[in-house]
């Protein structure tokens, strides 16, 4: 899967050492090292896995340093391309709280040459502003898709400043997107509903980067094909109505 993705032109892979934990980065290293020169590996710190599989905060300076070291070791790198600090005040969504201490710890590791660029994940607009006062932020990774659009204003603000926005759960995550409107639009365009959902994201804003996950080569090829799917204005209006209908429920 990883080799086919890279051979197909994918040059942005989202990962973290707490996925698995550890096994995801080990698989990436086994499949792709030595890495293509244009491949960007984006990882995350700020969380850890409990023995029961739960997601727990890991925000201390020692936690951040250990997480960066783990990612470096398991990916087989001397410097991480991009490291996102994931806020864990609420593991299920953005919640207010200062990210200054862990971000300063991550910025220290950047000054040491272990991290090239810094991003944020699972954050509010206020936390983005706080983060940008501490370090240069190159990307924000939050939950967003055509049915979950809390970050509309944030996306536009980031686009104006040239900061990438990377929606996780672009296809709904653990609850896949299901909508009669989405299915109807897809049928009319002779595409799959998930292709239409990805195409909508790509047309939503110029700073959006996609990270749809899959374990199927066929699904990978479908996802890649979504990049060439142009949605007509009428389809976008109908798709925009999905979030409006959900908000009215």
């Amino acid at each position: 899967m990883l080799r086919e993705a890279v051979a197909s032109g994918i040059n942005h892979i989202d990962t973290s050492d707490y996925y698995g934990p550890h096994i995801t980065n080990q698989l990436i290293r086994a499949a792709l090292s030595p890495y293509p020169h244009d491949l960007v590996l984006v990882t995350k710190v700020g969380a850890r896995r409990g023995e029961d599989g739960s997601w727990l905060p890991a925000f201390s300076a020692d936690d951040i340093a250990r997480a960066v070291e783990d990612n470096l070791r398991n990916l087989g790198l001397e410097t991480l391309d991009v490291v996102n600090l994931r806020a864990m005040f609420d593991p299920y969504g953005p919640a207010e709280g200062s990210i200054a201490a862990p971000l300063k710890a991550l910025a220290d590791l950047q000054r040491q040459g272990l991290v090239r660029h810094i991003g944020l994940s699972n954050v509010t607009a206020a936390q983005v502003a706080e983060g940008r006062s501490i370090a240069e932020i190159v990307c924000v990774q939050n939950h967003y898709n055509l049915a979950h659009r809390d970050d509309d204003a944030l996306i536009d603000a980031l686009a104006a400043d040239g900061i990438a926005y990377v929606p996780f759960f672009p296809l709904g995550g653990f609850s896949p997107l299901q909508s009669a409107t989405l299915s109807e639009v897809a049928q009319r365009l002779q595409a799959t509903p998930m292709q239409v959902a990805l195409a909508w994201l790509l047309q939503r804003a110029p700073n959006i980067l996609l990270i749809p996950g899959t374990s199927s080569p066929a699904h990978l090829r479908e996802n890649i094909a979504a990049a060439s799917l142009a949605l007509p204005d009428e389809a976008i209006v109908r798709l925009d109505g999905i979030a409006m209908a959900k908000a009215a429920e």
Side-chain angles (χ1 to χ4, degrees):
M1 276 293 303
L2 287 161
R3 289 172 182 152
E4 180 167 345
V6 170
S8 299
I10 299 301
N11 62 0
H12 170 208
I13 294 177
D14 176 73
T15 185
S16 176
D17 214 50
Y18 60 69
Y19 293 162
H22 308 302
I23 185 63
T24 302
N25 280 346
Q26 292 166 1
L27 286 170
I28 290 172
R29 180 179 183 178
L32 300 178
S33 182
Y35 301 107
H37 69 90
D38 63 340
L39 180 65
V40 178
L41 296 175
V42 181
T43 189
K44 283 181 238 33
V45 299
R48 63 181 178 87
R49 302 299 293 276
E51 293 183 2
D52 60 353
S54 57
W55 300 88
L56 304 172
F59 252 29
S60 72
D62 286 344
D63 287 332
I64 300 299
R66 189 179 306 112
V68 166
E69 291 166 3
D70 285 347
N71 278 278
L72 288 167
R73 181 180 63 256
N74 285 313
L75 286 169
L77 292 170
E78 295 183 354
T79 302
L80 297 171
D81 292 327
V82 184
V83 177
N84 288 330
L85 175 67
R86 180 178 174 85
M88 289 291 290
F89 300 103
D90 181 344
Y92 302 105
E96 297 296 354
S98 176
I99 60 171
L103 187 56
K104 288 177 180 177
L106 186 56
D108 284 341
L109 297 171
Q110 183 184 41
R111 285 188 283 272
Q112 295 172 35
L114 301 179
V115 174
R116 190 165 289 117
H117 300 291
I118 293 175
L120 299 173
S121 179
N122 198 42
V123 286
T124 66
Q127 288 163 340
V128 172
E130 180 184 35
R132 295 182 68 187
S133 72
I134 295 169
E136 181 181 1
I137 301 301
V138 300
C139 60
V140 172
Q141 187 182 105
N142 275 3
H143 182 191
Y144 184 83
N145 54 54
L146 62 79
H148 188 281
R149 298 184 57 177
D150 293 348
D151 273 0
D152 272 337
L154 178 60
I155 289 172
D156 294 336
L158 294 173
D161 289 339
I163 298 173
Y165 184 91
V166 187
F168 66 75
F169 293 160
L171 299 177
F174 300 116
S175 301
L177 295 173
Q178 294 181 341
S179 161
T181 298
L182 177 59
S183 297
E184 290 166 6
V185 170
Q187 185 175 20
R188 183 167 300 181
L189 296 174
Q190 297 183 318
T192 70
M194 297 301 98
Q195 285 177 319
V196 171
L198 293 177
W200 179 87
L201 284 168
L202 289 173
Q203 290 183 223
R204 167 62 184 82
N207 59 326
I208 284 184
L209 305 177
L210 294 186
I211 52 169
T214 182
S215 59
S216 160
H219 190 206
L220 170 67
R221 290 188 285 272
E222 286 184 0
N223 288 344
I224 292 172
S228 60
L229 179 61
L231 302 179
D233 291 343
E234 178 270 337
I236 291 175
V237 169
R238 294 196 66 197
L239 294 169
D240 285 345
I242 293 174
M244 297 177 188
K246 183 179 178 182
E249 291 179 355

